[in-house]
Amino acid sequence: MDAFKYIKPKLFSTLKNYTGAQFAKDLVAGIIVAIIALPLSIALAIASGVNPEQGLYTAVVAGFFISFLGGSRVQIGGPTAAFVVIIYGIIAQYGMAGLTIATFLAGIMMIVMGLLHFGDLIKFIPKTITVGFTLGIAVGILVGQLKDFFGLSMGAVPAEFAEKMIAYAQHINTIHWPTLLIGLIALLIQIFWPRVSQKIPGSLVAIIVTTAIVGLGHISSVKTIGDLYTIKAGLPTFTMPQLSFGLIRQMISPAFTIAILASIESLLKHVPNNTVVYEIFGSLFFGAANDFLNFNHEEGKNVLILRMRNVPAMDISGLEALEETLEICQKRGMTLILSHVNKQPYHVMEKAGFIEKVGQENLCENIDASLKRAASLA
């Protein structure tokens, strides 16, 4: 039974010392995640070929169970765009019943792969394959959204890539220019907004701005989600899929694809067993600098990675917090690794001599390099 202790949900051990202050922070974090995740869930549901409310159901139910049964106190569960291409094809050919069966089969396959420690095989996959794999998914998602982005007047989009491109070419003369303009505005906001603010997500700003333009400008020719889809209020009704041996047999191949994709997605950012990863959001100024000092020291952990990609600025109190964190790590026999340090915080650290203390080799340009460095210290 000791071998299965690692599957104990982290929530059960965290609640033992849970405080009101932690709840307040978690509540704010939950609101921020919801603001980003709910519009994203609607978008991915539409891209997958289902109604928007089904994306909301999935975000709420799956998000709850991921947090309730998850093994980390800092993980976030949400939809991933990598599955859009696969799910769209399954739904187009087999419907929701096929997707439900494929999902259950994929879950069983992943459990078996986990028990057999197939995750160790990730080390043998060449980097070029994972890069090409990710790029292929991105291209597939991009092509799948061209109909709505250009406002093309056409029927259902084919599931296959080549057929999609042929269908778009046949209807290229039906471009709706106001729709294209709104899409370009939303795209540009998401590209350039991070230069304005790191705290407010660009996707949220894009939704608010473009919705205001269409609504206040009375641009009725631009179709909204409400115009294109009927969003049902209330909870979904529970139905059992029509099971048949023939359908289950047909779903084995799509289920295997989902299982492999989900496994690779999770393993590409696999955190070594000796490592604890924390991410800091926002500037490290007085009053906010000490929030991450009380990190948990779990047995067997000898590396702490602080992801600082979302820390645009830091003052002396932030530097003092990092120095205190380094001292805590040294007392516990841990190595502190800083991931993706931005320009201004780096200059503050360099001027104070902190980089020499932590070691130049422990300042990594991204999380991939940080995890590789952590694995070398195992």
Side-chain angles (χ1 to χ4, degrees), residues 59-367:
V60 173
V61 176
F64 171 79
F65 281 105
I66 289 171
S67 300
F68 184 71
L69 300 175
S72 170
R73 63 189 298 271
V74 293
Q75 72 182 16
I76 297 175
T80 174
F83 289 95
V84 166
V85 179
I86 298 171
I87 292 175
Y88 186 91
I90 294 174
I91 293 175
Q93 189 171 358
Y94 303 103
M96 287 299 298
L99 178 61
T100 303
I101 294 173
T103 302
F104 273 107
L105 291 176
I108 294 172
M109 291 177 184
M110 292 184 66
I111 292 173
V112 173
M113 287 190 289
L115 294 175
L116 296 177
H117 300 286
F118 278 10
D120 294 336
L121 298 177
I122 192 70
K123 68 181 71 172
F124 300 109
I125 298 178
K127 181 69 174 178
T128 52
I129 291 180
T130 59
V131 172
F133 165 81
T134 307
L135 181 61
I137 291 173
V139 172
I141 295 171
L142 172 64
V143 171
Q145 303 310 301
L146 293 181
K147 173 191 172 182
D148 293 329
F149 187 76
F150 288 102
L152 300 178
S153 297
M154 56 186 292
V157 178
E160 300 299 327
F161 179 85
E163 294 175 0
K164 278 191 179 82
M165 299 306 297
I166 294 173
Y168 291 149
Q170 292 173 343
H171 296 84
I172 193 67
N173 60 331
T174 65
I175 292 178
H176 188 254
W177 296 104
T179 299
L180 176 58
L181 179 60
I182 292 296
L184 287 173
I185 292 173
L187 182 61
L188 292 173
I189 289 174
Q190 293 185 78
I191 293 174
F192 294 105
W193 181 258
R195 300 184 182 182
V196 178
S197 173
Q198 294 283 346
K199 294 183 177 180
I200 304 175
S203 57
L204 177 62
V205 177
I207 290 172
I208 294 173
V209 171
T210 53
T211 301
I213 292 174
V214 174
L216 298 178
H218 303 288
I219 310 175
S220 58
S221 61
V222 176
K223 302 296 183 183
T224 65
I225 292 177
D227 296 327
L228 297 173
Y229 303 92
T230 301
I231 302 178
K232 300 177 182 177
L235 298 174
T237 56
F238 291 91
T239 57
M240 287 293 295
Q242 295 295 325
L243 297 177
S244 68
F245 180 75
L247 183 58
I248 293 175
R249 186 175 57 186
Q250 288 177 310
M251 288 299 101
I252 291 177
S253 178
F256 183 74
T257 303
I258 293 175
I260 292 297
L261 176 57
S263 300
I264 293 177
E265 276 273 299
S266 61
L267 290 172
L268 286 178
K269 288 292 183 288
H270 172 66
V271 178
N273 293 330
N274 66 316
T275 305
V276 179
V277 181
Y278 279 75
E279 183 161 4
I280 308 173
F281 289 88
S283 301
L284 275 178
F285 291 144
F286 177 77
N290 294 317
D291 288 345
F292 63 93
L293 286 177
N294 296 320
F295 61 90
N296 290 345
H297 181 211
E298 301 177 21
E299 187 177 350
K301 308 293 186 180
N302 68 340
V303 176
L304 170 65
I305 296 177
L306 290 182
R307 300 187 70 178
M308 300 185 64
R309 58 180 178 170
N310 291 305
V311 181
M314 180 175 69
D315 66 0
I316 189 64
S317 62
L319 177 64
E320 290 175 352
L322 286 178
E323 289 179 336
E324 188 172 344
T325 302
L326 178 60
E327 292 178 5
I328 294 173
C329 287
Q330 291 173 341
K331 290 179 181 177
R332 296 176 177 177
M334 302 178 72
T335 299
L336 176 63
I337 296 176
L338 303 180
S339 173
H340 198 147
V341 179
N342 289 309
K343 190 174 181 179
Q344 193 274 348
Y346 183 88
H347 286 324
V348 173
M349 296 179 195
E350 186 178 40
K351 187 175 181 180
F354 181 74
I355 293 178
E356 295 180 4
K357 296 179 182 178
V358 74
Q360 184 66 53
E361 68 278 9
N362 293 322
L363 268 75
C364 300
E365 61 179 355
N366 52 46
I367 188 61

